[in-house]
Amino acid sequence: MECRVLSIQSHVVRGYVGNKSASFPLQVLGFEVDSINSVQFSNHTGYSHWKGQVLTADELHVLYEGIKLNNVHHYDYVLTGYTRDTSFLEMVVDIVQELKRANPNLVYVCDPVLGDHGSMYVPQNLYPVYKNKVVPVADIITPNQFEAELLTGKNISTEKDAVEVMDLLHAMGPDTVVITSSDLPPRLGDRFLVSLGSQRHVRPDGSRTTERVRIEVPKVDAVFVGTGDLFAAMLLAWTHHYPNDLKTACEKTFSVMHHVIQRTISYAHELAGPGRRPSPPQLELRMVQSKADIEDPAIVTEATLIS
């Protein structure tokens, strides 16, 4: 039985960001993907110049109404990422709620893009919308440490803090939380980054249990655009295939990320030449070239269970 995803994300003509970072890998893994472009730009904003259009909340509503009128609005997943507009975000929430009424088993995967490294890079008025409206209807969220702290009002300085923050996020709604990156000290050395995940399960008798994992991933000295979109899409895919095994889902997801990033950085350095820092065009994700790794990633990052 086919699995259908509604992806509401940004779109670029050149490169892999938003819907292009999500759609290809999901399709490779057998998902049917319907894409709504929240923005349509010539390229991502890490370039010196970009041109394009931004979809308004009313325009999003018109597109969704068209899907509804044809009675093709049955989805198994909704996937969303970066947006800068509160009314657009509120319209997304309305759509998710309506789709959940039609299919109570629908899973909403949300990357709550607010900022990083202590500062917001979206307007401040998006924060209460994410906290009070978006996160409560989400089933899977992928914040970084800054976003997790912002949404819960609690700082993370230890693994115990991170577990408490993930529990607070669970209490807000989502059953699966993955903190994609943190400032926690890695056990494998300072060339690694610590990520953590938590998933609530309901046992057959109705009682609840929580699986928590820690994963350390190698750092890369480069700035990539579109990796957060790819991560959320891969977590969607691998939690679908391993719905009660967060450890395996995270290992698959982070291993895909590793392979795509390593292939991208190798190619970028080759293009840039010795001693030169790669440019944004050279650092566009090598997605098509990573098709085999997306389909069946060799596991290079192992998750450990934590209490």
Side-chain angles (χ1 to χ4, degrees):
M1 184 178 168
E2 72 178 26
C3 196
R4 190 167 289 276
V5 180
L6 176 62
S7 181
I8 307 174
Q9 302 201 71
S10 55
H11 172 81
V12 291
V13 177
R14 169 64 193 270
Y16 285 90
V17 171
N19 275 327
K20 284 178 75 176
S21 278
S23 295
F24 172 73
L26 284 172
Q27 288 166 332
V28 161
L29 289 168
F31 293 81
E32 290 286 348
V33 183
D34 293 349
S35 300
I36 294 178
N37 299 330
S38 58
V39 305
Q40 184 160 275
F41 286 173
S42 54
N43 44 269
H44 69 69
T45 56
Y47 284 72
S48 301
H49 309 281
W50 68 91
K51 298 284 186 181
Q53 302 84 34
V54 177
L55 195 73
T56 67
D58 288 342
E59 289 165 340
L60 171 61
H61 180 69
V62 167
L63 289 173
Y64 176 65
E65 285 297 309
I67 295 169
K68 266 174 58 180
L69 287 169
N70 289 297
N71 197 30
V72 290
H73 62 299
H74 180 92
Y75 291 99
D76 302 287
Y77 288 90
V78 175
L79 175 64
T80 65
Y82 177 78
T83 186
R84 292 185 60 85
D85 181 74
T86 54
S87 59
F88 188 92
L89 199 52
E90 287 169 339
M91 181 60 67
V92 167
V93 172
D94 290 345
I95 289 171
V96 169
Q97 288 175 323
E98 186 168 313
L99 291 174
K100 283 193 171 194
R101 285 193 290 273
N103 174 20
N105 294 319
L106 179 139
V107 173
Y108 174 29
V109 181
C110 171
D111 182 4
V113 182
L114 288 162
D116 204 357
H117 304 299
S119 60
M120 291 182 69
Y121 42 60
V122 297
Q124 296 270 355
N125 58 1
L126 260 73
Y127 160 68
V129 181
Y130 270 113
K131 181 173 182 177
N132 301 322
K133 297 184 178 182
V134 178
V135 174
V137 299
D139 301 282
I140 299 174
I141 59 170
T142 59
N144 56 39
Q145 176 174 329
F146 172 74
E147 290 158 346
E149 290 175 333
L150 195 61
L151 289 166
T152 59
K154 179 176 174 59
N155 290 333
I156 297 173
S157 55
T158 65
E159 188 177 280
K160 182 174 178 288
D161 292 337
V163 168
E164 289 174 3
V165 163
M166 291 189 291
D167 284 346
L168 288 170
L169 289 167
H170 284 319
M172 292 167 70
D175 281 335
T176 301
V177 176
V178 175
I179 298 176
T180 55
S181 61
S182 76
D183 297 325
L184 294 178
R187 292 166 188 154
L188 296 177
D190 59 10
R191 293 192 305 143
F192 286 79
L193 200 64
V194 177
S195 301
L196 302 111
S198 181
Q199 188 174 59
R200 294 190 302 190
H201 305 289
V202 179
R203 295 191 181 102
D205 65 2
S207 62
R208 285 183 176 272
T209 182
T210 305
E211 178 190 0
R212 300 186 183 96
V213 299
R214 173 189 174 111
I215 194 159
E216 301 199 5
V217 294
K219 287 181 181 177
V220 178
D221 184 24
V223 176
F224 301 95
V225 179
T227 49
D229 309 313
L230 174 60
F231 183 90
M234 290 298 87
L235 189 64
L236 182 161
W238 292 115
T239 52
H240 174 79
H241 289 300
Y242 299 93
N244 297 306
D245 185 356
L246 183 63
K247 181 179 186 295
T248 299
C250 281
E251 288 173 345
K252 296 269 192 181
T253 299
F254 279 100
S255 293
V256 169
M257 300 302 298
H258 173 84
H259 294 306
V260 172
I261 287 170
Q262 287 303 317
R263 183 170 285 105
T264 300
I265 198 72
S266 296
Y267 180 74
H269 282 308
E270 189 180 312
L271 285 182
R276 294 190 175 184
R277 199 163 184 84
S279 65
Q282 293 165 342
L283 286 167
E284 292 285 7
L285 296 177
R286 304 295 288 169
M287 202 76 80
V288 173
Q289 297 79 0
S290 302
K291 177 177 176 288
D293 291 316
I294 291 166
E295 289 177 298
D296 185 19
I299 301 302
V300 292
T301 51
E302 288 196 16
T304 55
L305 294 173
I306 58 176
S307 55

